[in-house]
Amino acid sequence: MARDPWDWLGWASLPLLGLIWQGAAWAAGSRFLPGPLAVAAHLRFLAQEAHLYADFGQTLLRAGLGFAISLGLGCVLGLTLGRVRGLDRLFGPWVVVGMNLPAIVLAILCYIWLGLTDFALVLAVVLNKVPLVTATIAQGVRSFDPDYDELARAFRMSRGDRLRLIYLPQLTPHVLTAARSGLALVWKIVLVFEVLGSDGGVGFRISLFFQFFDMKGILAYSCAFVALIMALEYLILRPLEERLLAWQSDRT
Amino acid sequence: MAIGPDIALDLERFGFAGGPLLFQDLHLKVAGGEVVALIGPSGVGKTTLLRMVAGVQGGFAGSVHVAGKPADQAPRSGMVFQDARLLPWLTVAGNIRAVSPAMADAEIDALLERVGLGGVSALWPRQLSGGMQRRLGLARALSVNPRLLLLDEPFVSLDRAVVRDLQALFRQVVAELRPTVLLVSHDPEDAALLADRAVILTGRPARVAGEVALAGPRGPEDVAGLVARIRAVSG
C-alpha cells in the first residue's frame, strides 16, 4: 500500500503544540502561564521530591477498578437486555435514567450515603459508567446477524462454541467501543470525584495546587496524566484492537 | 462404500406464524445416495424444506425423517448455504474447525486440498474469491457429514466459469462419496446437469407439480432436452 505523503504531519503535531505553548508563555511572561520546559522541570521535581507516583498510583487503581467493574457488569447486563426482550422492556428505561444522571450527583449521593471512601468513589464511577456500557453492548447484541444463528443451529454447535465462535466475535467491536469511550470518561470522572472528596490522587493534588495558584504543578500533573492516557491508548488499546479485529482489514 | 441416508418428508401442514399455509399434504422420499433437485419459483418453500431436513425448522405437523430418525435427532447434515456464510473472524481452517472441532490440522488440509483450496488454510475468508468461498462452504459441509449434503442455491450470484468449476467439483464429490443430496435451485439447468431426479414444486400451499428422472451421464444436448422437460412440468 502507498504511504500517505502527509504521514509526517502526524509526528509534527505534538511538537507544534509545544512550540505554540512555549511561544505563548514567552509572550505572556507570567507565572500563570509557565512554558513546557519549566513545566517539564517541575514535573521532574514532583516525581523525585513529592507525591507524583503515589498520586498516580491511587488514581490508576481507582480508575482501573471502576473501568474493569463497569465494563464487566455492563457487558453482562447488555448481553442480558439485548437477548431477553421482556427484561429490555422492563429495565431499558432504567438504563436511560442512568445515562442521564449527572456524574457529580452520583458522586455526591455516594459520598453522603457511604462517606468519603474509596469504595464510594469507585461505586460512583461504576454507577455512572455501567448504563453507557450496557446500552452499547445491548445495541451490539441486537445487531447480531441471525444468519449466523441459523448456521450454529444447522451445525448443532454447543452453547459454549456459539458463545465463543459466534456471539463474542460479533460483540468485540462493541466491547472495544465501550472500552475506548469508558477509558476516556472514567479518568475524567475519577479526577472530578477526587477533587470533590478524597485524601489523595491526581484530582486531589490538582485541587491543592489550585488553592495555591500553582500553575506549574497543575500543568505538570495534567501533562503527565495526558501522557499516561496516550500511552495506554497507543501501547495497549490500539494493539489489542488491531489484534482482535485483524480479520476486518489487512493490518496484520 | 456406504451410501448416504434416505430421507422421508411427510408434511401435513406448515406455515409461518401469521402467514398463509406453506405446505399441506406434501410428501417426498429420497433414496440413500440419490441426488434430488428441488426446483421451483422463489418463495415456494424450497429452502424451508431444506431447513426441515437439517433439523433447524420445527413447528410443522407431520414428520421429517433422516435414516429413520426424526431430522433433529439424526446425525448432522452437511449444509451449504445460499451465501457462503463463512465466519469472517475465523481463518479458512478455523471455519472448518468451528463446526468440526475434532478434525486434526492434517485432515483439514487434506479436505481443503480435495476442494481445490490447498495452501489457503491461514487466510481470512475476505481474502478468498467468491468461488473459493463457496468451495470452503462445501468443504465445511463435507467436514460435518459427507454422506448427507443439503445445498441451497449453491451456484447463485457466481459467474459462469466459476459455476462450471463448482459443478465439476460437485460431480466429483458425488462420484467419490455417494452422498444423499438435496439440491435447491431455481434454475432447471442445475438439476439437468447434476441431479438424478428433479422434483418441481409449485403453488401455495406448495405441491409437487411433477418429477423428472434424470439419471445417467449426459452431454450438452441431453441437458437442453432435460431442461425443456423440467420447464414443461413447471408450466
Side-chain angles (χ1 to χ4, degrees), chain A residues 2-13:
Chain A
R3 271 178 70 94
D4 181 352
W6 302 106
D7 257 3
W8 64 276
L9 282 176
W11 294 103
S13 174

Side-chain angles (χ1 to χ4, degrees), chain B residues 3-7 28-39 146-151 154-155 167 170-185 190-199 211-216 218 230:
Chain B
I3 58 173
D6 57 326
I7 301 169
L28 176 66
K29 292 204 183 312
V30 180
E34 189 180 17
V35 179
V36 170
L38 292 176
I39 302 291
R147 297 179 60 232
L148 174 58
L149 296 177
L150 307 176
L151 286 74
F155 312 119
Q167 287 173 337
F170 174 79
R171 273 194 293 264
Q172 182 191 330
V173 166
V174 168
E176 285 174 16
L177 303 174
R178 298 290 314 282
T180 305
V181 180
L182 262 183
L183 165 68
V184 159
S185 178
D190 291 342
L193 275 167
L194 305 170
D196 301 325
R197 179 162 57 110
V199 174
E211 297 191 5
V212 177
L214 305 160
R218 58 208 82 156
I230 294 170

